[in-house]
Amino acid sequence: MATLARELAEIEESGTYTNFGPKNALLEARLTERVFGGRGGCVTCVNATTGLMLAIRHEMRTGRRYALLPSFTFPASAHAAIWNGLTPLFCDIDQETWLADEGSETILLDAHRDEIAVVVPQATFGNCVDLDRYAALSRFYDVPVVVDAAPAIGSQSTDGLQFGAGSTFPIVFSMHATKAFATDEGGIIHSGREELVAALRSMTNFGFGSPRVSTMPGLNGKLTELGALLALVKLDEIEAVLEAREQLVVAYRGELGGLRFQQPQGVRQAHQFVPVHVRGLDRAGRDELVARIDEQGIEVATYFSPHLAEHPYFQANSVAGQLRVTQVIADGIVSLPMHDGMSTHDVRRVAMAVQSARASLSTSISMAASDPPVE
Ligand SMILES: Cc1ncc(COP(=O)(O)O)c(C=O)c1O
């Protein structure tokens, strides 16, 4: 933190620690310019979960029941829906991209046509969602869309632009420490609709209009000046971070050719860690594999397993469609480590630990590379 002594002194001198102070104003301007290519606008918030709560609240069709989202994701969007009085309605995922499956979404949209208040696609693990498809879906079913793009600052869609840049939808990003764009806590809501960004800014500040009275639903969701400062520093580093992480993914793919990686959409993915699907495992086999990797001093995780429809709170408060692919992917998923201090030598070490853990398990696992595909 000593390296930021001058900038911290500037915050002290300004006497403004929050409430959209000078660091935050600079951050929003730079994000709009450098990340979103000058399109639309953005408002920061205290974290992405709060951003999702507010964006869903602003966009959702009142009088309808459901928020449609995939079960294979982090709990934040489902919680945000429930805080808005909605019931999560979980769809399945595509077996290659691990994004919401179009066919599964369509079945649920047709079955609950006038009951879906909002659709919440997920840019899972930073993968780019096809926003043109959601624009068509939104028009056809007359349903709003809010995008959970938490890990995707730095992901670029096929047009070479930041994912979501200029979109008519609110696109919600996270700056949580687990993301490539890591600070401590923080969120960004971007949209090409500047009036929407202005409304969401009021909503992060008690719904205050001008004069300072509440004119719409709101809460305290503002990013602090310290949070904005950390994000300004990260903004200067992010291209190098993304490039280094891409090299690590290339190394992982080279070392672990027998495993299934997520099929990337778009031209660049901001990687937060490296999820791989180990075919032929049931949940217990996957957990045993994770334990054997851990025994070798390598810490791995299992995002997003259990998937949301398996969490006790969501079992009691949501409705699920058919989740066959979700179940298969969630049973065999392992998230391999990635952090900014890592080298390709470290990747080799992790890969060796994974391979030796697989070899020490039953033959069903060592034969997994030749298993039939999910469908
Ligand atoms: C897919 C997804 N959505 C939302 C969030 C929530 O972000 P935040 O921690 O900034 O609230 C996360 C956080 O890990 C996430 O992975």
Side-chain angles (χ1 to χ4, degrees):
M1 190 53 89
T3 53
L4 296 177
R6 184 173 55 80
E7 291 83 353
L8 286 169
E10 282 169 6
I11 293 176
E12 281 179 5
E13 281 155 24
S14 79
T16 303
Y17 292 87
T18 182
N19 284 15
F20 310 121
K23 294 287 179 213
N24 189 72
L26 185 62
L27 173 63
E28 288 182 357
R30 285 193 182 161
L31 285 168
T32 300
E33 213 41 54
R34 292 194 202 167
V35 176
F36 300 106
R39 289 163 180 78
C42 56
V43 57
T44 60
C45 49
V46 68
N47 54 49
T49 308
T50 305
L52 286 162
M53 285 168 62
L54 296 176
I56 290 173
R57 180 59 184 259
H58 189 271
E59 296 293 283
M60 64 189 246
R61 288 269 190 288
T62 48
R64 298 188 185 180
R65 294 171 59 189
Y66 294 121
L68 176 62
L69 70 153
S71 185
F72 188 70
T73 189
F74 190 73
S77 291
H79 278 304
I82 292 172
W83 277 104
N84 279 304
L86 300 175
T87 300
L89 174 62
F90 293 127
C91 67
D92 208 355
I93 52 168
D94 178 83
Q95 63 173 322
E96 304 298 337
T97 64
W98 306 345
L99 302 173
D101 177 66
E102 183 174 0
S104 174
E105 281 177 332
T106 305
I107 289 169
L108 294 172
L109 281 158
D110 286 338
H112 303 282
R113 192 170 261 267
D114 296 321
E115 296 176 293
I116 298 183
V118 63
V119 178
V120 193
Q122 311 282 309
T124 305
F125 306 134
N127 211 3
C128 291
V129 171
D130 180 354
L131 293 178
D132 289 340
R133 177 168 86 73
Y134 281 98
L137 178 154
S138 173
R139 280 192 300 274
F140 185 79
Y141 289 98
D142 186 28
V143 66
V145 173
V146 171
V147 182
D148 181 343
I153 301 175
S155 295
Q156 292 175 344
S157 35
T158 42
D159 54 13
L161 298 175
Q162 163 63 44
F163 170 70
S167 172
T168 55
F169 306 133
I171 316 284
V172 183
F173 301 91
S174 173
M175 300 189 277
H176 186 262
T178 51
K179 308 293 180 282
F181 197 102
T183 61
D184 52 354
E185 296 275 4
I188 300 162
I189 314 174
H190 166 79
S191 177
R193 279 157 58 202
E194 294 192 41
E195 79 292 351
L196 168 63
V197 174
L200 290 168
R201 181 184 303 286
S202 295
M203 291 175 79
T204 64
N205 193 22
F206 307 100
F208 283 159
S210 178
R212 239 170 105 78
V213 289
S214 296
T215 56
M216 60 176 81
L219 43 70
N220 183 359
K222 300 182 298 289
L223 187 68
T224 64
E225 284 289 273
L226 184 54
L229 171 59
L230 295 177
L232 281 165
V233 173
K234 184 55 69 173
L235 196 53
D236 287 338
E237 298 168 355
I238 187 65
E239 285 301 316
V241 167
L242 293 169
E243 177 55 34
R245 286 175 177 236
E246 185 58 39
Q247 293 313 317
L248 297 177
V249 171
V250 169
Y252 267 122
R253 283 179 178 265
E255 296 284 339
L256 292 169
L259 302 184
R260 273 175 123 197
F261 289 77
Q262 184 183 29
Q263 185 184 87
Q265 307 293 285
V267 297
R268 185 168 79 177
Q269 185 165 351
H271 301 284
Q272 58 181 140
F273 43 75
V274 184
V276 289
H277 179 241
V278 187
R279 283 178 277 193
L281 289 180
D282 59 11
R283 189 70 59 91
R286 190 278 315 274
D287 290 345
E288 182 57 29
L289 180 74
V290 166
R292 293 187 190 199
I293 299 170
D294 276 352
E295 278 165 15
Q296 299 172 73
I298 307 287
E299 207 180 317
V300 296
T302 59
Y303 295 103
F304 296 110
S305 174
H307 61 87
L308 297 188
E310 297 178 313
H311 292 222
Y313 181 65
F314 300 123
Q315 271 175 355
N317 293 286
S318 66
V319 174
Q322 196 261 97
L323 302 176
R324 197 170 55 85
V325 178
T326 300
Q327 200 63 48
V328 172
I329 301 296
D331 281 350
I333 202 88
V334 177
S335 338
L336 303 177
M338 165 166 287
H339 57 81
D340 292 340
M342 246 176 121
S343 67
T344 50
H345 176 76
D346 298 325
V347 169
R348 211 161 301 129
R349 223 188 114 225
V350 175
M352 279 168 62
V354 172
Q355 298 295 36
S356 89
R358 287 182 77 207
S360 75
L361 279 177
S362 70
T363 45
S364 65
I365 294 160
S366 48
M367 285 164 59
S370 57
D371 277 0
V374 178
E375 290 193 328

